[in-house]
Amino acid sequence: MRNTIKLSAAAAVAAAAALALSACSAPSDSKDSGDEDSALIVAASPTPHGDILKFVKDNLAKKEDLKLQVKEFNDYNLPNTATENGEVGANFFQHQPFLDEFNKKNGTHIVPIVNVQIEPLGLYSNKVKKLSDLGSGDSIALPNDVSNEGRALKLLADNGLIELKPGVGSGATLKDIKDKKGLKLTELEAPQIPARLGDVDAAIINGNFAIGAKLKPATDALALEKAENNPYANFLAVKKGKEDDPRVKKLAKLLNSPEVKKFIEDKYEGAVIPAFGAPKG
């Protein structure tokens, strides 16, 4: 005897919505074939990385005979995992300190190919208008991943909101704070912070998530990371051994093209800054 399971219309709609959401944020069964004639699948954060890749796909890829597929992730871990297991052929979302920590922690073998841009980290608030309004008892949210937390703490220290122990570098953690000056620091996953901005007095937000939340780093940030000599350039990356993939070489060339430079400068007006060239890591 066969049992028949009946789903209500509401349940069916909910299931379809959940499936659509998971397709945008988690690995699928499709994989990058590695075939030179096939599309290069690139994992990326939606903004600005996905936007930049879509510009390349729509405007530049054809002249290099490059087939490009952009797979967006609202997560800082899945793109590297997908690159390691071959689901995608490359990724574009991260900087060197983050990659170094990820490879060390997860035993992955991701390597950078070419720098593309920098998104200055910023301190934002819905409750105060200037830095001097923040003081003892106020709460500040910051990213909880190792590299971005150290970067966030340095931004706070550079602006006099906290004091770090002498000699602390980009890997600073909450334990490396010498003086919190009465501030309450809360660690959150970076993608969650924009939505939680109203729950705290201020928050440090990564540039791509700030843009996605309709914040304008150049004008809305109480404090903004300086771009000059910034070690946090975001780059195109692949699994070690894939560096000579002709498709990857074509994409690297296009990502450092004058057309992409103009696109970044025109679209983001200083919130994202071109940073072309070979990675230093």
Side-chain angles (χ1 to χ4, degrees), residues 104-182:
K104 179 180 178 181
K105 181 179 179 181
N106 296 281
T108 45
H109 310 85
I110 313 301
V111 295
I113 297 297
V114 66
N115 286 340
V116 182
Q117 47 80 19
I118 290 172
E119 305 146 38
L121 205 66
L123 177 67
Y124 300 85
S125 177
N126 287 339
K127 299 181 180 180
V128 303
K129 299 297 183 182
K130 54 184 184 295
L131 275 177
S132 58
D133 291 335
L134 289 171
S136 181
D138 288 334
S139 57
I140 299 179
L142 64 159
N144 66 356
D145 60 278
V146 174
S147 59
N148 282 308
E149 181 174 82
R151 193 177 170 189
L153 291 173
K154 184 177 186 303
L155 179 63
L156 293 178
D158 287 346
N159 286 277
L161 293 173
I162 63 171
E163 184 179 348
L164 293 174
K165 296 175 183 177
V168 173
S170 61
T173 68
L174 297 183
K175 295 179 180 179
D176 297 309
I177 299 175
K178 182 178 179 181
D179 187 356
K180 287 186 180 180
K181 300 187 179 181

Side-chain angles (χ1 to χ4, degrees), residues 34-56:
D35 187 336
E36 183 178 345
D37 295 325
S38 68
L40 174 65
I41 305 175
V42 184
S45 299
T47 304
H49 311 86
D51 295 337
I52 294 170
L53 288 169
K54 288 173 186 175
F55 171 79
V56 171

Side-chain angles (χ1 to χ4, degrees), residues 11 15 27 31-32 63 78 88 102 128 159 164 179 202 212-213 217 222 234 244 247 260 278:
K31 288 198 172 188
D32 186 278
K63 71 177 183 181
L78 291 176
V88 301
F102 189 94
V128 303
N159 286 277
L164 293 174
D179 187 356
L222 300 178
N234 287 193
D244 292 328
R247 303 170 303 163
V260 167

Side-chain angles (χ1 to χ4, degrees), residues 60-79:
L60 306 176
K62 187 175 181 180
K63 71 177 183 181
E64 290 290 337
D65 195 25
L66 172 65
K67 298 175 184 176
L68 190 60
Q69 180 180 336
V70 182
K71 187 177 181 71
E72 294 185 345
F73 291 81
N74 287 302
D75 182 274
Y76 272 178
N77 295 304
L78 291 176

Side-chain angles (χ1 to χ4, degrees), residues 122-129 134 138-143 156 184 186-206 209-217 219-223:
L123 177 67
Y124 300 85
S125 177
N126 287 339
K127 299 181 180 180
V128 303
K129 299 297 183 182
L134 289 171
D138 288 334
S139 57
I140 299 179
L142 64 159
L156 293 178
K184 300 174 183 178
T186 301
E187 299 169 292
L188 295 172
E189 292 188 8
Q192 298 177 357
I193 296 179
R196 298 284 299 276
L197 183 56
D199 299 333
V200 292
D201 294 296
I204 292 183
I205 302 176
N206 294 71
F209 294 126
I211 296 166
K214 308 301 182 184
L215 294 168
K216 297 181 179 179
T219 56
D220 293 340
L222 300 178

